[in-house]
Amino acid sequence: MKKVLVIQSAAMAGGNTDRLADAFIEGAQAAGHEVTKFSLGELTVNGCLGCNACLNTGKCVQQDDMQKIYPNFYECDVLCTATPIYCYAITARLKAFYERLYAAGMGAVKMATPKKGSILLCTAAEMGKRVFEQAVTFHRTNNAFAGWKDFGMVLAGGCGGCPGPRHLDDRYRREAYDLGRSLQE
């Protein structure tokens, strides 16, 4: 059994990104894995201050909701991040989360970065690979830096958005479910 941490970064609960993350979670749980999910839209996670205090103490000085996430991050075997694409990039919330991993060992000295598998789930109103380029590059760069293994991604384009109806094609939900289900012991 793997411990899976899902970080969902959309502001809207029940939206396309949240539903894509939930499909992944259903697959991972069906495969017998333990899953913990945090929705950053419901939490306060500030960006890194750049103070470098964590290099001396091993802890971030900020006392926000990231303190709830850190223990789960350290314990997880797989980190799954889910983000809508805003202006061809990941959300500011997800970027703040990654900045704060600096205090969890992703800093310049790589204090104690836990080795993990990682997964990226993205939704976007636009179709095509171009809309996901920044998110994919960000994901792969973090994996390379931290020494994490890329377990896959689901890039769900054509999801609609504001204004208008939100639509998440069932094929993407199946793809996310299958990705969760495929996690190996």
Side-chain angles (χ1 to χ4, degrees):
M1 175 186 74
K2 291 189 181 301
K3 289 188 175 188
V4 180
L5 174 60
V6 176
I7 301 295
Q8 193 279 111
S9 69
M12 184 183 308
N16 289 329
T17 305
D18 199 25
R19 291 186 296 140
L20 190 66
D22 287 346
F24 169 80
I25 291 167
E26 289 170 22
Q29 288 174 332
H33 303 297
E34 180 183 320
V35 181
T36 302
K37 176 184 173 187
F38 288 94
S39 293
L40 297 180
E42 300 170 359
L43 303 172
T44 299
V45 174
N46 300 313
C48 179
L49 298 173
C51 67
N52 284 332
C54 61
L55 296 179
N56 295 320
T57 65
K59 295 179 187 176
C60 184
V61 298
Q62 296 189 71
Q63 296 301 308
D64 60 11
D65 290 325
M66 191 67 183
Q67 299 303 327
K68 298 174 188 174
I69 299 173
Y70 281 131
N72 294 279
F73 171 75
Y74 282 118
E75 292 179 7
C76 78
D77 304 301
V78 178
L79 173 64
C80 174
T81 55
T83 184
I85 298 298
Y86 295 158
C87 301
Y88 295 91
I90 63 172
T91 65
R93 287 177 187 87
L94 187 57
K95 176 72 166 58
F97 165 79
Y98 270 103
E99 286 179 7
R100 296 290 293 287
L101 292 183
Y102 187 83
M106 286 186 69
V109 295
K110 289 190 179 182
M111 298 177 304
T113 306
K115 301 302 181 211
K116 307 186 176 310
S118 80
I119 291 167
L120 175 65
L121 307 175
C122 290
T123 59
E126 188 176 318
M127 292 292 288
K129 291 182 180 180
R130 179 182 69 140
V131 71
F132 299 108
E133 286 177 359
Q134 186 277 347
V136 170
T137 299
F138 187 84
H139 173 73
R140 289 181 174 154
T141 300
N142 278 300
N143 286 346
F145 179 76
W148 298 345
K149 183 175 180 178
D150 188 347
F151 284 176
M153 55 186 82
V154 177
L155 307 176
C159 291
C162 300
R166 297 175 186 277
H167 173 72
L168 178 63
D169 194 294
D170 285 341
R171 71 178 174 194
Y172 296 126
R173 287 182 48 77
R174 280 191 303 276
E175 195 176 330
Y177 177 90
D178 291 345
L179 183 55
R181 182 99 183 161
S182 73
L183 295 176
Q184 302 298 312
E185 285 299 318

